[in-house]
Amino acid sequence: MNPIIPRELTNEEIIDIIRDFAKATKIAITANFDGVEIHGANGYLLQQFYSPHANRRKDRWGGSREKRLEFPMEVINEVKSTVEKYGDDFFIIGYRSTPEEPGLTMM
């Protein structure tokens, strides 16, 4: 069995993923869901981008704390824009954040 070797996402792939969060939000609105929760915890992709241990990028999406937060913030902004365009004042946006690394906080 050949091991799967992870690779860094391209900028285009990151932009596509951000758009996919917006598309999923629109689908949730169309399906009359009460809201969406963005999962930025438990080692999933958004936490990996924020983690200084997992994110070793040297581009727009990595490096300083602010740059590591760029991807999660872009996802949040796209989801919020989608809700403003297609949802109503009662549609809930949640963000799950439980960093698993000592000293890692969103503040």
Side-chain angles (χ1 to χ4, degrees), residues 35 50 95:
Y50 182 57
Y95 190 94

Side-chain angles (χ1 to χ4, degrees), residues 27-95:
I27 291 168
I29 291 167
T30 302
N32 293 317
F33 281 29
D34 294 327
V36 294
E37 181 175 72
I38 302 166
H39 196 112
N42 306 108
Y44 286 91
L45 187 61
L46 295 174
Q47 184 190 5
Q48 289 177 20
F49 267 81
Y50 182 57
S51 168
H53 304 291
N55 185 344
R56 303 298 175 110
R57 300 177 73 98
K58 304 289 186 214
D59 60 2
R60 167 187 177 187
W61 309 104
S64 70
R65 183 174 135 191
E66 290 77 17
K67 286 185 171 187
R68 293 191 322 271
L69 270 173
E70 184 76 18
F71 177 62
M73 292 305 298
E74 288 291 329
V75 168
I76 291 167
N77 291 335
E78 283 295 314
V79 168
K80 285 175 65 176
S81 293
T82 301
V83 171
E84 289 169 5
K85 186 172 182 180
Y86 300 104
D88 58 33
D89 292 340
F90 301 103
F91 193 85
I92 300 166
I93 301 171
Y95 190 94

